[in-house]
Amino acid sequence: MTAMFRHLLTYLHDRKLARENAALTTLKARYHTFRIFLENNGRALELLVTIDSLLHRGGAEDIRSACEELLSITGELVDGLNLLADDGYTDLYAFHGRLSSQILQHLGDLAGRPEPPQAYCLALDDLEPGLIQKIGAKAANLAHLRRMSLPVPDGFVCTTRACRQFLHSGELSEKIRKILGDLENGRLDGARASSRIKEMVLATPLPPDIVRALQDAYAGLERRTMPAGRPAAAPLAVSVRSSGVAEDGSEHSFAGQFSSLLNIHGPEALLAAYREVVASVFNARAIAYRLKAGLAPVDLDFAVLCQVMVDAECAGVMFTRDPSHPERQRMAISAVAGLGITAVDGSVPADMYYPPRMPPGDSRPPEADRDSRLMADAAISTKTLRQVPAAGGGLRTEAVPAEAADAALLSPARLDELVRSGELIEGFEGCPQDVEWAYSHDNRLYILQTRPLRLAATRERIFSYSPASPPLATGRCASPGTAVGKACVIHSAKDLQQLDPAPAGNGSTWPLILILPQSIIDAARYLHVCSGAVVATGNPTDHLSCIAREYAVPLITGAQEAMARIGDGQWIIVDADHGTVMEAPEPLQTTIRPTAGPRPATATPAAGAATATASPLRQALRAAVAQLNLTDTYGPTFSARECRSIHDLIRYTHEMAVLAMFDTGDEIMKEAGDLLRPLDLGIPFSFLVIDVGGGVRKAEKITLRERMALRHPLHRQDILSVPLAALCDGLLTHGLSWHSAPDAEALAGIFSRTMLDGRGVRPAGSFNYAIAARDYLNLNARVEFHFAMLDSVCGRDAHANYIRFRFKGGGAGQERGHRRVLFLQHVLEANSFYTSMTGDLITAFLTGVSREVTQQQLVMLGRLFGFSRFLDGIMVSEDTPRQLAAAFLAGRFDTRDLV
């Protein structure tokens, strides 16, 4: 009998264990689906911003490319939501299909005519404007200069279509995706993944039609450039270089990451060089960049440029504006002996010249004066080595002859020609340029490459000062310059919307300097009315920094003391060049003149303003893609039936995905068993923890009887999840009160809410759930009559760290609930969160901070959970929120001592 009973217990235990394992597998799949969903959601929002900008001033091809990517990603969002919600939103497929058809029709109308089939190879002289998506930025720039009759070597480009066709031939793309998947999952490191992909690319034969296209293009180039009677044993030498669509662009920069092969002889060597340049797309650095930037790993917008090789006597780089002193009217030109590859990589000493830009024709100096001006400030190096073409192909290094080692590589005549060419190129391209050039042995100048010079805009310094006290804050220069003005401290979306330059009388305004807790993208719309900006967190490469450089607005990032030490309305000096913020002395304040004329209007996010100058077709596209109609998440109109645009679809799927994850605990509770382990902290706030990977310590081995009887509660020492551990430390703060006694007026509201609450989907007393991983926490909680959601990543990468916090509801009535939210707003903003508030709902986020700061703020949120419990019951007046916030920030956490 005893044996039979043991057998039954074992059978029941095994069944229970099988259910738990199945539930854990399901939960982990849902968790990873949710993380992928969030990544896609972030990329979709980035594309919305891009498309909104392109609809103002972008070309039809760029708009089409961005819209097609957005449609693909939003299709994945619909897939992800249905995976999370067990196909509960299949009607969204039909909506997405209808809206996609409408958008594609608009895109076709915008293009005006169907596109002709694209050839694999195109001669530079046959390239028309607007083909950058097919030929890449480098080839497009050089083709433009050839049309302007500048000395660009002849050549051809093998298009982006050819590259995609090659990578999708056979099983190459599938193998590459598998290796990249192993890289993302940590099964391969970057160097090994890169090496394997390169080996596969180099070993894969080119499709026959691409081989024919390259051979025909090479033969055509030979016919155009080689003199009649050329010996058959001397094939044409060419250079083979990358020409990526994003390679020299403003949003993504791959400069210097891809291979350039020089002195390639013959069609067979050209085919091998083509594969090698394509393989270089998958070097470790470029792979990491593409994955981090969210770019497609295999569907590359990448072309290959082939040009006649220039056997250079000397070569170098010309900046049409001296980047170290952009305000001076001079250029900066480097020159090395032989081929210019050593000028680009800096491996040998280079001559440096700083010739002045050409004055107007009537004021040109005499010849003698011109020569001395051109050579002024020149620094002539001692040349040692040079790269030269090797016989039969490739390069070799040789010593510079002793008699030429100390000679200047550029004469005044050559400098004059370079300066004139640089000014022409700058004029054609419309902005300062970074130009690669070469002089051949027969003294001919050739332009090998040009791209926009990444040069921060400058402003004239209108004052100087000598600091008499330590700086208020220090950080890093993100956009150079110096500014003085009145500080405008921003905490919330409402603060930005109310931003208004301070009146100085007579229709004039005082200069404003934004003080931001983090790099808030919304603030970019207001930079044009500000003299400077200071950001407590962020980095010089973020979106706001780029916009500041574009507007020539001095900006400092990483000024951690700024929010605490700079007061609203305080006169300050921002010296971005040195990364310091100083208090402006009184004499300086009196010398600053207000901006004359009408007050600048701040930008507004209104859809009408955004499309006021756009064509009707572009307005229609914006309405279908970027316009947001679902503005009230908690209102009756927030439904799939009310979606009118792609933006609506993104917003709706995100909210529903969060709710699906919120409900995950309820669904899995029936089968989860020991997966759902209660966290016992000894406080009146409990929740079940679901570990999806490294979140909690594994349970020690226990007996079968104990396993059948207990749920194995977790304690603080069992928590390994960094964000959950920090939250627990806040919940366990000594002196934190969890009991705020409501007054008589609040009791009536709480009683009536209790009577009605049981009818809700998630009534008071429901289980609360925390999904935890080593660096991740998603907490969905119902504490009495309010909802709270906390989502956080807390790891080593500050750029990836974030906290999102949402709080809504209460049992003491809407007015008191709103006061509690005001209290939360005061506390969160004091801790550098950016907030948005509607009624009794507050949403707050913090991004781009270190792991230590993220942990500190999660501790604070743990305290806030306890302190704010029942807090609406004591919100007796309009002054109470601020009084309680001051107490909390001062470390007084027992509400019983405060009322």
Side-chain angles (χ1 to χ4, degrees):
M1 188 70 178
T2 303
M4 182 180 299
F5 183 68
R6 285 186 178 277
H7 179 74
L8 177 61
L9 286 179
T10 302
Y11 171 75
L12 293 175
H13 168 258
D14 291 343
R15 285 192 60 186
K16 181 171 179 285
L17 185 61
R19 290 197 302 269
E20 290 174 1
N21 288 333
L24 179 60
T25 300
T26 300
L27 182 59
K28 285 186 174 180
R30 291 172 66 86
Y31 162 69
H32 288 296
T33 298
F34 183 60
R35 291 297 294 264
I36 292 171
F37 180 96
L38 292 178
E39 292 175 6
N40 285 333
N41 181 79
R43 177 58 182 156
L45 293 175
E46 292 174 1
L47 283 169
L48 278 179
V49 175
T50 299
I51 292 169
D52 205 26
S53 175
L54 288 172
L55 286 171
H56 292 299
R57 56 185 179 272
E61 186 67 30
D62 293 335
I63 295 172
R64 171 181 283 277
S65 177
C67 284
E68 287 177 348
E69 183 182 353
L70 181 63
L71 292 177
S72 174
I73 287 178
T74 49
E76 293 181 20
L77 289 178
V78 174
D79 280 337
L81 175 58
N82 278 287
L83 285 172
L84 291 170
D86 297 326
D87 291 330
Y89 297 91
T90 54
D91 55 329
L92 291 178
Y93 288 112
F95 170 74
H96 183 262
R98 290 193 302 271
L99 194 56
S100 296
S101 298
Q102 177 185 343
I103 291 169
L104 291 173
Q105 178 63 48
H106 287 324
L107 291 171
D109 295 340
L110 190 65
R113 64 181 188 275
E115 292 184 342
Q118 181 183 345
Y120 284 127
C121 291
L122 298 170
L124 280 180
D125 289 339
D126 294 337
L127 300 180
E128 299 177 356
L131 294 180
I132 189 171
Q133 294 293 327
K134 299 178 178 64
I135 62 175
K138 186 180 296 176
N141 291 339
L142 291 177
H144 179 212
L145 296 186
R146 275 186 69 86
R147 287 194 297 272
M148 299 298 108
S149 299
L150 283 166
V152 173
D154 197 1
F156 63 89
V157 60
C158 196
T159 64
T160 57
R161 177 186 172 216
C163 180
R164 286 194 294 267
Q165 183 74 14
F166 171 44
L167 292 176
H168 285 83
S169 61
E171 299 178 350
L172 183 57
S173 62
E174 288 74 13
K175 292 177 180 177
I176 291 174
R177 284 193 172 93
K178 184 179 183 304
I179 293 175
L180 293 178
D182 290 342
L183 171 63
E184 289 188 272
N185 293 327
R187 292 190 288 269
L188 277 178
D189 59 32
R192 188 173 301 176
S194 171
S195 177
R196 289 186 182 180
I197 294 175
K198 286 182 176 180
E199 289 175 3
M200 289 192 306
V201 173
L202 293 174
T204 301
L206 291 172
D209 47 357
I210 297 179
V211 171
R212 287 192 298 271
L214 282 167
Q215 291 173 339
D216 291 346
Y218 179 82
L221 184 60
E222 277 190 314
R223 288 192 297 271
R224 294 195 303 273
T225 58
M226 296 298 288
R230 166 187 55 87
L236 175 68
V238 296
S239 64
V240 184
R241 299 183 290 165
S242 62
S243 180
V245 172
E247 189 170 349
D248 293 326
S250 58
E251 184 176 357
H252 304 291
S253 178
F254 294 90
Q257 296 189 25
F258 305 146
S259 294
S260 293
L261 303 180
L262 304 181
N263 199 34
I264 303 301
H265 287 203
E268 292 303 317
L270 172 62
L271 299 179
Y274 177 85
R275 285 197 299 269
E276 187 169 341
V277 171
V278 173
S280 73
V281 180
F282 298 100
N283 67 61
R285 179 182 167 202
I287 289 174
Y289 184 91
R290 292 192 74 87
L291 292 175
K292 188 172 183 180
L295 300 175
V298 179
D299 297 328
L300 304 176
D301 291 329
F302 180 90
V304 175
L305 174 65
C306 303
Q307 288 180 279
V308 174
M309 181 71 188
V310 177
D311 184 5
E313 177 195 321
C314 65
V317 177
M318 169 172 55
F319 295 154
T320 61
R321 304 272 177 169
D322 180 1
S324 60
H325 297 286
E327 72 281 1
R328 299 183 184 178
Q329 291 297 308
R330 70 179 190 179
M331 298 185 180
I333 302 174
S334 66
V336 297
L339 298 174
I341 188 171
T342 55
V344 176
D345 64 21
S347 59
V348 301
D351 289 356
M352 288 300 305
Y353 305 86
Y354 300 95
R357 294 168 61 84
M358 290 293 104
D362 293 341
S363 58
R364 293 177 69 86
E367 193 77 12
D369 292 346
R370 186 204 66 174
D371 289 356
S372 61
R373 282 165 54 86
L374 287 169
M375 298 299 292
D377 300 324
I380 308 303
S381 67
T382 298
K383 273 71 71 177
T384 55
L385 300 173
R386 62 187 177 190
Q387 290 273 326
V388 297
L395 306 179
R396 64 182 178 87
T397 302
E398 67 178 22
V400 176
E403 63 273 15
D406 295 316
L409 292 168
L410 296 180
S411 64
R414 283 182 170 181
L415 278 174
D416 185 59
E417 185 179 21
L418 276 169
V419 169
R420 286 188 284 107
S421 298
E423 291 195 338
L424 277 174
I425 295 171
E426 183 178 301
F428 290 146
E429 300 297 334
C431 63
Q433 294 290 297
D434 172 351
V435 182
E436 294 181 20
W437 57 269
Y439 268 102
S440 64
H441 288 279
D442 58 359
N443 202 34
R444 291 186 180 181
L445 171 65
Y446 290 93
I447 304 301
L448 306 180
Q449 179 173 324
T450 187
R451 58 187 170 210
L453 176 61
R454 298 181 184 276
L455 184 69
T458 58
R459 289 183 173 184
E460 181 182 359
R461 292 176 180 262
I462 59 172
F463 61 88
S464 60
Y465 70 97
S466 298
S469 58
L472 296 171
T474 59
R476 290 172 292 175
C477 175
S479 179
T482 308
V484 63
K486 300 184 73 171
C488 182
V489 182
I490 299 296
H491 294 286
S492 65
K494 184 178 180 181
D495 291 343
L496 271 181
Q497 292 164 3
Q498 295 178 344
L499 181 65
D500 197 18
N506 300 320
S508 301
T509 58
W510 293 117
L512 282 184
I513 295 178
L514 282 182
I515 311 297
L516 300 166
Q518 53 193 291
S519 184
I520 302 166
I521 294 179
D522 289 349
R525 295 176 294 173
Y526 303 89
L527 281 179
H528 69 286
V529 299
C530 300
S531 298
V534 180
V535 184
T537 61
N539 66 84
T541 64
D542 60 37
H543 178 72
L544 192 65
S545 299
C546 295
I547 299 298
R549 289 192 288 271
E550 179 182 340
Y551 287 161
V553 174
L555 186 145
I556 295 174
T557 63
Q560 298 181 6
E561 314 96 331
M563 297 298 291
R565 301 192 60 190
I566 300 174
D568 194 54
Q570 182 178 4
W571 279 89
I572 59 174
I573 299 167
V574 175
D575 184 357
D577 297 329
H578 298 92
T580 59
V581 183
M582 309 291 298
E583 183 174 10
E586 187 66 30
L588 182 58
Q589 297 178 26
T590 60
T591 64
I592 296 300
R593 292 175 295 177
T595 303
R599 186 179 306 168
T602 58
T604 64
T611 58
T613 60
S615 68
L617 182 55
R618 293 191 178 220
Q619 290 185 42
L621 253 177
R622 188 186 187 281
V625 174
Q627 188 166 306
L628 181 63
N629 306 291
L630 296 183
T631 55
D632 185 3
T633 307
Y634 297 95
T637 60
F638 195 85
S639 70
R641 292 187 300 272
E642 299 300 323
C643 289
R644 299 288 183 268
S645 68
I646 291 294
H647 197 166
D648 290 338
L649 184 65
I650 295 169
R651 177 76 182 275
Y652 182 77
T653 55
H654 180 265
E655 291 297 329
M656 295 305 105
V658 170
L659 288 177
M661 287 302 290
F662 186 94
D663 293 336
T664 292
D666 293 325
E667 296 171 5
I668 209 166
M669 178 71 175
K670 300 173 185 177
E671 305 292 341
D674 291 318
L675 294 177
L676 295 168
R677 300 182 63 186
L679 180 60
D680 183 8
L681 298 175
I683 56 175
F685 177 51
S686 61
F687 48 88
L688 302 174
V689 177
I690 308 171
D691 179 19
V692 291
V696 301
R697 196 181 309 277
K698 291 184 179 180
E700 297 179 2
K701 187 174 181 180
I702 56 177
T703 66
L704 178 61
R705 179 175 298 177
E706 291 172 328
R707 189 169 183 82
M708 296 295 293
L710 300 176
R711 190 179 287 275
H712 321 306
L714 293 165
H715 302 284
R716 168 61 185 86
Q717 62 269 25
D718 298 316
I719 303 301
L720 302 178
S721 169
V722 175
L724 179 55
L727 184 73
C728 290
D729 290 343
L731 293 170
L732 294 172
T733 297
H734 178 71
L736 179 64
S737 170
W738 288 81
H739 305 283
S740 300
D743 60 18
E745 181 182 347
L747 280 172
I750 294 173
F751 179 76
S752 62
R753 179 65 186 270
T754 303
M755 298 291 291
L756 297 172
D757 190 70
R759 305 176 187 176
V761 176
R762 191 171 175 81
S766 300
F767 284 106
N768 302 316
Y769 301 99
I771 300 173
R774 186 69 176 182
D775 65 347
Y776 177 72
L777 171 65
N778 181 280
L779 172 65
N780 292 276
R782 173 70 191 269
V783 184
E784 277 68 49
F785 301 104
H786 67 257
F787 294 90
M789 188 186 83
L790 173 62
D791 192 77
S792 177
V793 169
C794 180
R796 295 181 180 179
D797 184 1
H799 298 302
N801 289 342
Y802 68 85
I803 300 174
R804 293 188 180 96
F805 177 70
R806 180 178 293 175
F807 187 101
K808 178 179 173 61
Q814 187 170 358
E815 182 179 9
R816 291 184 179 227
H818 177 67
R819 290 174 183 167
R820 174 163 57 179
V821 167
L822 285 174
F823 155 77
L824 293 171
Q825 183 183 37
H826 295 321
V827 171
L828 290 166
E829 289 179 356
N831 283 277
S832 297
F833 280 77
Y834 182 68
T835 67
S836 176
M837 190 176 72
T838 305
D840 63 351
L841 166 69
I842 186 169
T843 302
F845 69 85
L846 180 69
T847 61
V849 294
S850 66
R851 177 167 60 179
E852 292 72 24
V853 173
T854 307
Q855 287 176 284
Q856 292 169 9
Q857 297 306 328
L858 287 166
V859 170
M860 182 275 299
L861 288 173
R863 294 168 181 160
L864 205 57
F865 269 107
F867 191 89
S868 58
R869 181 174 182 251
F870 290 131
L871 201 63
D872 53 337
I874 61 172
M875 290 289 176
V876 295
S877 71
E878 299 295 334
D879 295 330
T880 308
R882 194 172 293 278
Q883 293 170 354
L884 290 174
F888 181 90
L889 293 170
R892 298 163 57 199
F893 302 129
D894 193 338
T895 55
R896 294 170 297 187
D897 297 336
L898 304 175
V899 295

